[in-house]
Amino acid sequence: MYRKILDKIQAYDTIIIHRHIQPDLDALGSQIGLKKIIEDNYPGKNVHVVGDMTVFDFLGDMDKIPDSAFEGALAIVLDVAQAARVSDERFRLAQETIVIDHHKNDTDFADLFVSRSDYIATTLIIAEMCSKHDLYVSADAATCLFAGLVTDSGRFLYPSTDAFAFRMAAYLCDQGARVQEVYDSLYDEDLNLKRLKGYFINHFKTTSNRVAYMKNARDLKSRFRVSTFTVSRGMVNQMAGIKGIPAWANFTEDDDGMIQCELRSKSVPVVDIAKKYGGGGHDLACGCTVDSWEMTDRILADLDARFERMEEDG
Ligand SMILES: [Mn+2]
C-alpha cells in the first residue's frame, strides 16, 4: 500500500497536501512533515500545504496557492476521510486524490484510501512508510511527526498507546526529532488558557451515572479570549482522569450557533453515539455537531444510559 502512495508521488510534478479543518498537531504534523519528506526525497517537485490554521503554528505555515495549481496535481488528504471535513475544498480540482487516515470512518471521495484505524496517529502511518521504504527523514520532518504522535496519544497516556507507537517514537528520535522543542511548545501556556482550565475543573457537572459534562455558551470564548476550538477540543480533557468518572462530554456553541460535541470515554466505546448524531471518530474519542442544546441533552442521556451498569466499577 505504501508503495502505491510513493508511486503516485513519483508520478506527479505538483503535490498538494490537505488535512482536516481546525487542525490539531496530528493533522499539521503529518501534513508539514510529509511535505518536508517529499521535498527531501523527490527533489524538483512542487509541494504545497493548504488549510486553515489554529494556535498550533510552531511547526510551520500554510502556502497560499491559486486554483490553477491544482490542475493536474495530486492531492493527499491526511487525518480525515470525509470530504466535508477537509480544509480547503479545492482538493476536488486535483487530478487524483489519496486519503491517509487513522479514524474509523470510510472515505467518500478518495481515489486511493490508506486506512489504519488501529494506529494512534496519522503521523505513525507516515513514519512507518518512511521506515519501511528507507526514505530520508530530516530532523525537522521527524519533529513534525513526533508532535502528532505525542498529542494524538495524549502524551503516550491513552490506553491504545502500544509497542508500535513507542517503536515509532524511537525511530523518530533516531531521525533527530527535537522532543524538548515539542514539549516546550505544548506546555508553555498563556495565562488565559490556564485560567480557562481552572474554570472547567470548577464548573463541570455530572449526570446520575457520573458522566461529566460542560455546556459552553458563546460568551465563554470572549470572556477568556479563546477560540471555539480551544474551548471545545482544547478543554474536553480537563474532565479526564477522574476516579469514578467513566466518560465526559464537552458541548461548545460555535460562532454559527451550532454546538460542537466532544465525547470521551475511559474504556467503553462511545463512538456509536457520536455517529448516531452525524459525527464520528475513535472508539474512545469522538465528536459530532448538533444544532440545539436540546440535542446535547439527548446525547447526554445516551451516554448516561451507556454507563448505567458501571456504577460499581468506580
Ligand atoms: Mn489524528
Side-chain angles (χ1 to χ4, degrees), residues 193 196 199-200 214-222 224-239 250-253 260 262:
L193 215 59
L196 178 60
Y199 176 85
F200 258 72
M214 276 290 272
K215 291 183 178 180
N216 312 303
R218 232 182 294 188
D219 64 318
L220 189 72
K221 287 180 285 182
S222 41
F224 287 92
R225 289 174 291 111
V226 291
S227 64
T228 301
F229 179 82
T230 298
V231 176
S232 176
R233 191 80 75 83
M235 289 299 133
V236 59
N237 280 334
Q238 293 307 308
M239 295 174 278
N250 195 21
F251 304 105
T252 307
E253 188 180 3
Q260 301 198 7
E262 291 290 341

Side-chain angles (χ1 to χ4, degrees), residues 20 24-27 30 78-80 101-103 119-123 148 152 233 282:
H20 58 76
D24 53 15
L25 279 175
D26 188 34
S30 54
L78 301 168
D79 202 33
V80 59
D101 189 23
H102 73 128
H103 294 91
Y119 286 14
I120 204 161
T122 297
T123 63
D152 258 29
R233 191 80 75 83
H282 307 287

Side-chain angles (χ1 to χ4, degrees), residues 271-291:
V271 68
D272 59 302
I273 297 174
K275 283 184 177 165
K276 179 177 167 187
Y277 296 91
H282 307 287
D283 282 349
L284 306 179
C286 48
C288 57
T289 303
V290 297
D291 59 9

Side-chain angles (χ1 to χ4, degrees), residues 204-207 209-214 239-240 242 245-251 300 303:
F204 73 80
K205 297 187 172 71
T206 54
T207 65
N209 288 308
R210 311 206 67 186
V211 173
Y213 67 94
M214 276 290 272
M239 295 174 278
I242 304 169
I245 293 189
W248 50 102
N250 195 21
F251 304 105
L300 269 180
L303 279 172

